[in-house]
Amino acid sequence: MKDFSKVILLILSGFITFILIPIIPMADGGGSLIIVLTIPFLIALGIILSIVYYFIYIKKNKSNRNHVFVLMMVFMIFLTLLLFPFQ
């Protein structure tokens, strides 16, 4: 995978919650508030992580780039699942 597409993928990882909403049942009223608060946080975190990855991409160290990308994606998926209000 090209490194620019990895940057785009990190940005889009903030939108994973939108995919989970119709698939997984959410909690009632309080869950909606959690969704409203966590979506902007996860989108901003995805943008910040993509900027950090881009600066690592400039350094041209391929082995570190792949490890950092995997760690960032796992972190985003973990936070998304942790903050999602399951029923």
Side-chain angles (χ1 to χ4, degrees):
M1 185 182 298
K2 301 223 181 222
D3 287 316
F4 184 71
S5 61
K6 289 181 182 179
V7 170
I8 299 298
L9 192 60
L10 278 170
I11 292 172
L12 294 177
S13 68
F15 295 94
I16 295 174
T17 307
F18 288 124
I19 297 170
L20 292 177
I21 289 173
I23 296 172
I24 300 173
M26 269 185 3
D28 294 332
S32 307
L33 181 62
I34 292 171
I35 290 292
V36 168
L37 294 175
T38 59
I39 287 177
F41 170 72
L42 291 172
I43 291 172
L45 185 63
I47 292 170
I48 291 168
L49 289 178
S50 65
I51 292 169
V52 169
Y53 180 78
Y54 180 74
F55 286 123
I56 292 172
Y57 164 70
I58 291 173
K59 290 184 179 181
K60 303 287 185 198
N61 191 351
K62 187 164 178 78
S63 64
N64 286 343
R65 283 187 291 172
N66 291 334
H67 288 67
V68 169
F69 174 73
V70 169
L71 285 174
M72 287 180 179
M73 283 304 294
V74 167
F75 181 68
M76 284 297 294
I77 292 171
F78 175 73
L79 270 181
T80 301
L81 293 176
L82 181 71
L83 297 174
F84 192 80
F86 297 105
Q87 190 174 26

